[in-house]
Amino acid sequence: MRYLEYHSQRIQRTLGGKESFRGLELHLQAMNLPKTGWWKIKLPYDGCGFGEAILTPYEPRMIQSFRLVRSEIDYSSKFTDRSALEVLLAQRGEADEVIILKGEEITDTSFSNLALWDGEVWLTPQNPLLAGTARARLIDEGVIKEARLGERELREARALALLNAMMGMKILEKFEIL
């Protein structure tokens, strides 16, 4: 697993900073993981430990168009129940994906954080639905900076990037808001 320390930090945040909860790396080492291909690992956890892992082949989606949807969804921790996000995704209509607005601010898509290129710097929403691991790493590396971003900044962006642990930073130089 790439960038394991960021996944461990997210687990710590989700569990309220319980320093006694450790072991992601050891747990993954004990698993019989495939040696080839790209695999998505869903590994449920709670304050007592890890549940049974679910591995599925990773297949990147082609995304070029977005529909803006408004919601007051709370997804500050990564949940195995994604039904609230699926309800929002179902509102995409002809678009490939949704961009979720909370109030007047853009947040995330149904599966990734976002960054916008304004011609000088990559900006990521200051208040994402979920502070993802790729987003955290890119902020630490100085690649992206947090900012309050609304619909105007989105429509004026010269490029858009989708950020998540599987694809890293996928830059879309051409995208459409439907």
Side-chain angles (χ1 to χ4, degrees):
M1 178 182 268
R2 295 182 317 175
Y3 308 111
L4 188 62
E5 66 275 12
Y6 287 96
H7 292 278
S8 294
Q9 288 170 13
R10 181 176 63 211
I11 290 171
Q12 292 296 320
R13 275 193 318 272
T14 299
L15 297 175
K18 290 184 181 178
E19 289 300 319
S20 61
F21 185 78
R22 299 271 186 230
L24 177 60
E25 184 172 10
L26 292 173
H27 189 78
L28 290 171
Q29 288 172 354
M31 292 172 59
N32 186 21
L33 297 173
K35 303 290 185 232
T36 60
W38 282 83
W39 296 86
K40 188 172 185 177
I41 303 172
K42 288 185 181 180
L43 185 60
Y45 55 86
D46 60 22
C48 298
F50 296 103
E52 187 173 337
I54 300 168
L55 273 73
T56 53
Y58 177 68
E59 298 179 25
R61 295 170 43 202
M62 290 298 298
I63 297 177
Q64 296 177 323
S65 61
F66 299 87
R67 178 163 319 277
L68 299 175
V69 296
R70 294 186 185 280
S71 177
E72 292 304 313
I73 184 176
D74 177 15
Y75 198 75
S76 55
S77 296
K78 194 160 191 170
F79 301 116
T80 52
D81 178 4
R82 293 180 41 87
S83 58
L85 292 171
E86 295 299 327
V87 167
L88 296 175
L89 182 60
Q91 297 175 40
R92 73 182 179 269
E94 303 281 322
D96 299 321
E97 181 56 56
V98 294
I99 293 177
I100 302 161
L101 287 119
K102 222 173 173 180
E104 297 302 315
E105 293 183 42
I106 64 169
T107 60
D108 296 327
T109 73
S110 71
F111 74 102
S112 71
N113 292 125
L114 294 169
L116 306 177
W117 176 250
D118 69 0
E120 295 180 24
V121 66
W122 283 102
L123 301 170
T124 191
Q126 183 175 322
N127 299 303
L129 292 181
L130 176 71
T133 60
R135 178 184 180 276
R137 177 180 54 82
L138 292 166
I139 289 170
D140 286 352
E141 292 173 356
V143 175
I144 62 176
K145 296 181 181 193
E146 291 181 302
R148 294 180 71 96
L149 301 172
E151 189 174 344
R152 181 178 58 86
E153 288 83 5
L154 174 63
R155 293 191 184 278
E156 292 175 357
R158 295 186 181 179
L160 180 142
L162 304 175
L163 318 171
N164 74 22
M166 292 301 296
M167 65 183 154
M169 184 174 182
K170 181 177 181 179
I171 297 171
L172 306 176
E173 292 182 3
K174 294 183 181 181
F175 63 95
E176 185 177 14
I177 306 296
L178 303 179

